[in-house]
Each structure stands twice: as structure tokens, then as C-alpha cells.
Amino acid sequence: MHLGDLVKFIENHDNGKKEEVIGLVIEEKGKSLGKAEKPIYRVRWFKKDSPDSWHVSPKEGIGSAKDFYVISSVKKKK
């Protein structure tokens, strides 16, 4: 994940409703200094009244990352 990436989170509600929320990566903290520390990214969500939130890259596969996707990246894959 990189600054400027567009991301999507799929919210699964108890009533069975699914809602997709789109956001923009606006900040990065905790550059990798080894295996102990992974960077986290602040996402500004486009949904009205949704606060910014911090996430690890979906590649890390931690927690709810299965419902969190990069949909458009500013950095080209090699």
C-alpha cells in the first residue's frame, strides 16, 4: 500500500447487509525496520461523517484484511 492509493472496505452488518466504503491513503507511519514493525496507513474515507482510520496493508493479511482491498495504486507493480 502507498500514499495516494484508493482502497475499499466491505462492511458486513449483522442484518446481512453489505456496504462498500471507498477511501484514500493519506499518511504512512512505522516504516519497516525489520520483521518486528510493519507500516500502518491512515485512510480518509469518502463516506460522510466517517472518521479516518489506520490499517496495515491488505498484503499483511492481519485481522479484517480479507475485507480490505487496494483498488487503484499510484505505484506500478514490478
Side-chain angles (χ1 to χ4, degrees):
M1 210 155 64
H2 308 282
L3 293 177
D5 284 0
L6 284 174
V7 295
K8 173 172 69 172
F9 181 72
I10 299 173
E11 293 179 292
N12 293 302
H13 300 278
D14 291 338
N15 63 3
K17 181 181 172 189
K18 284 188 176 186
E19 183 177 356
E20 294 184 4
V21 183
I22 306 294
L24 181 69
V25 178
I26 61 169
E27 186 177 349
E28 179 181 359
K29 270 190 181 179
K31 289 272 191 192
S32 286
L33 301 172
K35 292 188 177 192
E37 187 175 337
K38 294 178 173 47
I40 59 171
Y41 303 88
R42 184 166 64 156
V43 175
R44 173 137 316 139
W45 299 105
F46 297 138
K47 182 179 175 184
K48 187 177 179 178
D49 298 327
S50 289
D52 296 353
S53 56
W54 290 91
H55 302 272
V56 296
S57 174
K59 287 183 179 181
E60 299 298 331
I62 299 170
S64 61
K66 65 182 180 190
D67 295 330
F68 185 58
Y69 307 91
V70 174
I71 57 175
S72 180
S73 183
V74 296
K75 191 166 186 172
K76 291 184 179 182
K77 295 179 183 179
K78 294 181 182 179

